[in-house]
Amino acid sequence: MNAVLSKMAKGITVCYSEAFPNQENDYFNFVYMGKIFLVADSYCMNPDCKCQEAVLNFVQAYPRDGRKADSFMIRLKLNGRGYKIHEHGRFIKREIQAIVMHFTADPTMLKLLNERYKEMKEKAKEILS
């Protein structure tokens, strides 16, 4: 938990799997156009912050043509009103848009991310008390 506290002090988002390491669903995974992606979700743990965002790191699990794994990172608004690309990796904007749309097409995904956001805020309060 020291790593989580250190990131909190620095204002860095914390990966859900760091705060809740024994969960079966540490990471999300899905298939898009025959490519397998893992998604790590991170959140601001400042209990006073009302950002309502998740930082999502998409990693293509099986590289194309024997190349190193590709990845990109976005900051997703949890109210469903869009996202900002932080790192493109080898992906072009249109490809990122299509992958994110596919990942968030099921409304239960946004609901789950919101639940995890709330869990992270509660965990922050617990750590700081």
Side-chain angles (χ1 to χ4, degrees), residues 11-12 15 29-32 36 38-39 56 62-63 73 79 82-83 93 96 99 109-110 116-117 122-123:
I12 299 171
C15 190
N29 62 70
F30 67 99
V31 176
Y32 174 75
I36 298 172
L38 298 176
V39 182
L56 304 177
Y62 298 105
M73 187 180 301
N79 61 7
Y83 62 91
K93 186 177 179 179
I96 291 172
I99 293 167
M109 180 53 66
L110 198 54
R116 287 167 77 127
Y117 171 86
E122 289 301 317
K123 185 72 163 184

Side-chain angles (χ1 to χ4, degrees), residues 95-106:
E95 191 174 17
I96 291 172
Q97 289 172 326
I99 293 167
V100 172
M101 282 181 61
H102 182 79
F103 179 68
T104 58
D106 182 348

Side-chain angles (χ1 to χ4, degrees), residues 6-74:
S6 174
K7 286 182 178 182
M8 286 174 62
K10 294 176 185 173
I12 299 171
T13 60
V14 177
C15 190
Y16 183 84
S17 64
E18 286 182 273
F20 300 99
N22 297 322
Q23 300 291 320
E24 288 182 21
N25 55 352
D26 284 352
Y27 302 98
F28 299 103
N29 62 70
F30 67 99
V31 176
Y32 174 75
M33 302 286 288
K35 301 170 192 159
I36 298 172
F37 286 87
L38 298 176
V39 182
D41 54 326
S42 300
Y43 304 88
C44 164
M45 288 190 70
N46 177 347
D48 298 324
C49 179
K50 306 290 185 226
C51 62
Q52 292 286 312
E53 296 177 334
V55 175
L56 304 177
N57 187 18
F58 291 75
V59 178
Q60 186 179 337
Y62 298 105
R64 300 177 271 205
D65 305 322
R67 294 187 304 183
K68 186 177 171 187
D70 291 335
S71 66
F72 66 89
M73 187 180 301
I74 66 167

